[in-house]
């Protein structure tokens, strides 16, 4: 026969799973979670905050709860890879997805160019902010945001390392959650990285954002 402690643990897990299911449908307040899942408002809020501590949920500025970074990363990976591969195939250059982690940016996904001369940073690589076009974007530098507002993308021409260039555009849901980056050697650039490929990078970032909206 299960012990009372086991029953209590199971009940907590059941309530946590119910809360995740409820938030998976749409953003929810503590009172919404209480109404949909059963426990009191205070219990629902406590469980939701605990789930937020572990990254399963996140609390918005308005006090509602949405799915957290653990789910967003998985969703980003599922939504992003096909788009990056298509961007790589259309441009011939390396397409990557970067996310911010503290004072660094981390490469979440990469679809590498097939050229012998190419820019490569494998998934898991990290660079300090605000290096490169993605770094400037994710750091939200004033001049980078002004460039973004003017043309829709941010470019870098040999700013991090002499020789390569890149263009980045934001994946935006409720704020910037990631940056799509196209990296290339300047030897293959005709006008500038942004003039050559900026529109395609923007389209890719918008497609990933639309997919995130559909999946979350």
């Amino acid at each position: 026969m299960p012990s009372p402690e086991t029953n209590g643990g199971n009940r907590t897990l059941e309530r946590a799973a119910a809360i995740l299911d409820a938030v998976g449908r749409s953003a929810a307040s503590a009172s919404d979670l209480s109404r949909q899942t059963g426990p009191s408002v205070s219990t629902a809020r406590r469980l939701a905050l605990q789930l937020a501590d572990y990254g399963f949920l996140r609390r918005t500025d308005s006090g509602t709860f949405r799915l957290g970074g653990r789910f967003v990363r998985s969703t980003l990976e599922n939504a992003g890879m096909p788009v990056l591969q298509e961007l790589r195939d259309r441009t011939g250059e390396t397409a990557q997805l970067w996310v911010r982690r503290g004072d660094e940016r981390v490469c979440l996904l990469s679809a590498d160019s097939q050229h012998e001369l190419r820019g490569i940073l494998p998934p898991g690589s990290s660079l300090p902010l605000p290096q490169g076009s993605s770094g400037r974007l994710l750091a939200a530098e004033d001049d980078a945001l002004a460039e973004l507002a003017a043309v829709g993308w941010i470019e870098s021409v040999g700013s991090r390392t002499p020789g390569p260039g890149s263009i980045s555009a934001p994946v935006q849901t409720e704020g910037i959650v990631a940056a799509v980056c196209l990296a290339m050697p300047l030897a293959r650039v005709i006008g500038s990285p942004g003039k050559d490929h900026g529109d395609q990078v923007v389209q890719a970032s918008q497609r990933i954002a639309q997919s995130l909206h559909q999946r979350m």
Side-chain angles (χ1 to χ4, degrees):
M1 180 176 179
S3 69
E5 290 183 0
T6 301
N7 287 336
N10 287 341
R11 186 160 54 250
T12 300
L13 287 173
E14 289 170 359
R15 286 175 171 175
I19 286 173
L20 290 174
D21 286 341
V23 175
R25 292 189 289 271
S26 62
S29 66
S31 59
D32 293 331
L33 295 175
S34 173
R35 184 174 61 256
Q36 295 178 42
T37 64
S40 66
V41 173
S42 61
T43 299
R45 180 181 292 108
R46 175 176 56 80
L47 288 172
L49 289 172
Q50 289 175 338
L51 289 167
D53 287 341
Y54 286 94
F56 292 104
L57 296 180
R58 62 182 174 89
R59 197 175 189 187
T60 68
D61 292 339
S62 64
T64 59
F65 293 92
R66 300 190 70 91
L67 292 178
R70 289 177 183 263
F71 291 102
V72 171
R73 284 193 294 274
S74 176
T75 304
L76 266 173
E77 291 169 354
N78 292 334
M81 199 63 207
V83 177
L84 294 184
Q85 289 171 337
E86 182 177 332
L87 179 62
R88 184 268 317 276
D89 293 343
R90 291 176 63 189
T91 63
E93 306 298 351
T94 296
Q96 300 169 327
L97 191 68
W98 292 83
V99 293
R100 180 169 183 167
R101 294 289 180 268
D103 293 329
E104 296 183 324
R105 60 179 170 112
V106 176
C107 183
L108 189 65
L109 298 169
S110 183
D112 294 339
S113 168
Q114 301 304 305
H115 289 291
E116 184 175 356
L117 180 60
R118 56 187 174 176
I120 296 179
L121 280 171
S125 299
S126 62
L127 293 170
L129 298 176
Q131 289 187 4
S133 60
S134 292
R136 295 176 59 215
L137 172 58
L138 295 172
E141 290 188 325
D142 289 342
D143 61 340
L145 295 180
E147 185 178 345
L148 182 65
V151 294
W153 38 260
I154 294 170
E155 73 175 357
S156 172
V157 180
S159 61
R160 185 176 66 83
T161 303
S166 67
I167 326 102
S168 293
V171 177
Q172 300 187 80
T173 54
E174 292 181 351
I176 297 173
V177 298
V180 173
C181 177
L182 192 70
M184 70 216 66
L186 293 174
R188 282 201 294 272
V189 172
I190 298 173
S192 75
K195 290 177 182 178
D196 289 2
H197 303 295
D199 289 345
Q200 294 177 82
V201 175
V202 171
Q203 291 169 8
S205 67
Q206 292 173 342
R207 286 179 56 199
I208 294 174
Q210 290 169 358
S211 183
L212 288 178
H213 281 299
Q214 295 169 358
R215 294 170 187 237
M216 294 181 63

